[in-house]
Amino acid sequence: MTQDDRSTGSRERILAAAAAMVAEDVTARLSVRAVAARAGVSTGSLRFHFPTQRALQEAVLARIYEHVFPDDPIRDRSLPARDRLVNCLRQVLAPAGVGKQAREAWGKAYEMFIAPEPTEQVRAAYLAMEREGWRRIEYWLTVLADEGALPREDHARRVRFLLTVLNGLSIERALPAEESILRSETETLYTAVDCVLNARTA
Amino acid sequence: MTQDDRSTGSRERILAAAAAMVAEDVTARLSVRAVAARAGVSTGSLRFHFPTQRALQEAVLARIYEHVFPDDPIRDRSLPARDRLVNCLRQVLAPAGVGKQAREAWGKAYEMFIAPEPTEQVRAAYLAMEREGWRRIEYWLTVLADEGALPREDHARRVRFLLTVLNGLSIERALPAEESILRSETETLYTAVDCVLNARTA
DNA sequence: ACCTGAACACCGTTCAAGT
DNA sequence: ACCTGAACACCGTTCAAGT
């Protein structure tokens, strides 16, 4: 509905329309007709720029992760703890890329850390990386624990769990997917985060 | 096409037709019209017995796993639901192997599904695999839901979540690890399962 | 090169009408 | 109670035709 300059490229209008729809509702279906109508173009034009529905969804995902997560969102107390943590985890996930980019990233990871014998050097390089992710997540959890959003003890288990979920989501970005991963990714992140925040001493 | 006795209940004919379709092709879509035609009933009749497509698919799933995995650990009611589900997930994880074996397995997965351009063939092959895992987990959840261990709705989200956790654990078996993964893997599995079973409607 | 919109072949669900 | 089949409101993709 926004009055984009009519001269703006159709491709751009389509992406903007789709991004707006997702912004309004992450579960939005992004059907050809809905997006095309919102962008003010024909379905044929949409198909010209995005040959397949999957191509469109990947482009939208990339667009969103590109310019919607600026700084460390953990301290933005205007949001509930769970939303902040999800946003932080998204930041971790962002560099994983989508589509071809994701596949190439995993290609590098495979050659560096999986294919070669795990010499001490290989191990050290990987563990350094992993430890950085670990520290980052642990930091976020301590911030939230200070606010009382989760228990203070036993962070190790929670961090390990979140890292595993992130690894799963990241590899799934490189694997073929059934449908828009945006929605399922969001749902999975919230499921994992709720799991961590609702921690009951079972 | 099998000449079931015309007197057999429609419900049974529908289930048999759907099961046959899945047996022939695990990726079969089981659309209303296809199943109804195969069973020799109308779409309305199908809807009468299975008010929703999801209901049909669950019934078919139960039918199949009943006589394909007769001694599935999910049925061992001597254990609490969470332990049974963890054991089931372990079964899924087992073929991933450990150490060198896990690394080689991921090497194959990489060459098959990540490195090549995702042609329709590649996608189809992967999705068939994934869908099988999906169905299996979904079946376990419906069994536990029948026992009241978790809500009955919204299984899609939970299945997706568990699959992602399994993917994460599986790739971590191929990556260098800090210490014995056995313990952290068990903890993560229980964390994920508790997350699914303690599902609160947040 | 870019775009249109109709057409095609599908979906799942609803429902008046039959037996 | 069980079943029919048309109708509805959607899908994603294709394609001849326009500019």
Side-chain angles (χ1 to χ4, degrees):
Chain A
M1 215 52 96
T2 54
Q3 205 74 335
D4 285 54
D5 184 358
R6 216 11 183 43
S7 70
T8 309
S10 288
R11 201 193 134 86
E12 210 43 48
R13 306 239 302 287
I14 292 166
L15 274 179
M21 289 167 73
V22 170
E24 284 163 18
D25 176 9
V26 273
T27 78
R29 293 248 318 127
L30 294 192
S31 80
V32 207
R33 287 166 185 78
V35 175
R38 175 89 174 233
V41 304
S42 65
T43 64
S45 176
L46 193 153
R47 263 298 151 278
F48 175 78
H49 292 287
F50 305 96
T52 201
Q53 207 57 8
R54 187 174 165 67
L56 169 65
Q57 274 152 350
E58 275 188 4
V60 172
L61 191 63
R63 165 64 53 99
I64 286 172
Y65 276 98
E66 255 165 37
H67 73 13
V68 107
F69 300 109
D71 295 338
D72 193 325
I74 201 68
R75 263 192 265 270
D76 174 14
R77 309 217 17 181
S78 71
L79 287 176
R82 68 195 286 265
D83 295 312
R84 277 182 282 158
L85 185 50
V86 164
N87 286 346
C88 289
L89 297 178
R90 278 205 165 106
Q91 276 198 339
V92 175
L93 214 46
V98 282
K100 190 185 170 99
Q101 198 190 345
R103 284 164 42 225
E104 281 167 0
W106 268 104
K108 288 215 175 77
Y110 174 70
E111 275 157 32
M112 272 200 284
F113 303 121
I114 297 181
E117 286 304 315
T119 62
E120 210 34 60
Q121 222 196 359
V122 168
R123 277 176 51 75
Y126 176 75
L127 291 179
M129 267 188 46
E130 195 195 44
R131 201 141 10 184
E132 209 190 308
W134 185 287
R135 285 208 174 115
R136 214 163 151 209
I137 294 179
E138 192 168 36
Y139 166 69
W140 292 329
L141 292 190
T142 58
V143 170
L144 296 182
D146 285 345
E147 297 177 18
L150 74 159
R152 185 165 264 94
E153 79 287 358
D154 214 5
H155 278 183
R157 208 190 81 242
R158 297 184 231 282
V159 173
R160 178 75 267 156
F161 171 71
L162 290 176
L163 276 174
T164 298
V165 170
L166 288 175
N167 272 331
L169 289 174
S170 157
I171 191 78
E172 281 165 6
R173 283 187 169 199
L175 288 165
E178 189 115 36
E179 39 158 350
S180 156
I181 57 176
L182 180 58
R183 195 185 109 156
S184 64
E185 204 171 79
T186 300
E187 285 181 349
T188 293
L189 281 174
Y190 272 106
T191 303
V193 162
D194 286 342
C195 184
V196 162
L197 296 185
N198 292 337
R200 45 183 71 189
T201 40
Chain B
M1 215 52 97
T2 54
Q3 205 72 335
D4 284 56
D5 183 359
R6 215 9 184 44
S7 71
T8 310
S10 289
R11 200 193 135 86
E12 209 44 47
R13 306 238 304 288
I14 292 165
L15 274 180
M21 290 168 73
V22 171
E24 283 162 20
D25 176 9
V26 274
T27 78
R29 293 249 315 128
L30 295 191
S31 80
V32 206
R33 287 166 185 78
V35 174
R38 175 89 173 235
V41 304
S42 65
T43 64
S45 175
L46 193 154
R47 263 298 150 278
F48 175 78
H49 291 289
F50 305 96
T52 201
Q53 207 56 9
R54 186 170 171 69
L56 169 66
Q57 272 150 352
E58 276 188 3
V60 172
L61 193 65
R63 167 67 51 101
I64 287 171
Y65 280 104
E66 255 162 35
H67 85 26
V68 156
F69 296 105
D71 52 355
D72 195 307
I74 203 69
R75 268 189 273 272
D76 173 15
R77 307 212 27 175
S78 71
L79 286 176
R82 69 195 286 264
D83 294 313
R84 276 183 283 158
L85 186 50
V86 164
N87 287 345
C88 289
L89 296 178
R90 278 210 165 100
Q91 274 197 339
V92 175
L93 213 46
V98 280
K100 189 186 171 99
Q101 197 190 346
R103 283 163 45 224
E104 281 167 2
W106 268 104
K108 287 216 175 75
Y110 174 69
E111 274 157 32
M112 272 202 284
F113 302 121
I114 297 181
E117 285 304 314
T119 63
E120 210 34 60
Q121 221 196 2
V122 168
R123 277 175 51 75
Y126 177 74
L127 291 179
M129 268 188 43
E130 196 198 42
R131 202 143 7 185
E132 212 190 305
W134 183 287
R135 285 205 174 123
R136 215 162 149 207
I137 294 179
E138 190 170 37
Y139 169 67
W140 292 331
L141 293 190
T142 59
V143 169
L144 297 181
D146 284 344
E147 296 178 17
L150 74 159
R152 183 166 266 96
E153 79 286 359
D154 215 4
H155 279 182
R157 207 188 82 241
R158 297 184 232 281
V159 173
R160 179 74 268 158
F161 171 71
L162 290 176
L163 276 174
T164 298
V165 171
L166 288 175
N167 271 332
L169 290 174
S170 157
I171 191 78
E172 282 165 6
R173 282 186 171 199
L175 288 164
E178 192 115 35
E179 38 159 348
S180 154
I181 57 174
L182 182 57
R183 197 187 101 157
S184 64
E185 204 170 79
T186 300
E187 283 182 350
T188 293
L189 280 176
Y190 272 105
T191 303
V193 162
D194 286 342
C195 185
V196 162
L197 297 185
N198 292 338
R200 46 183 70 190
T201 40

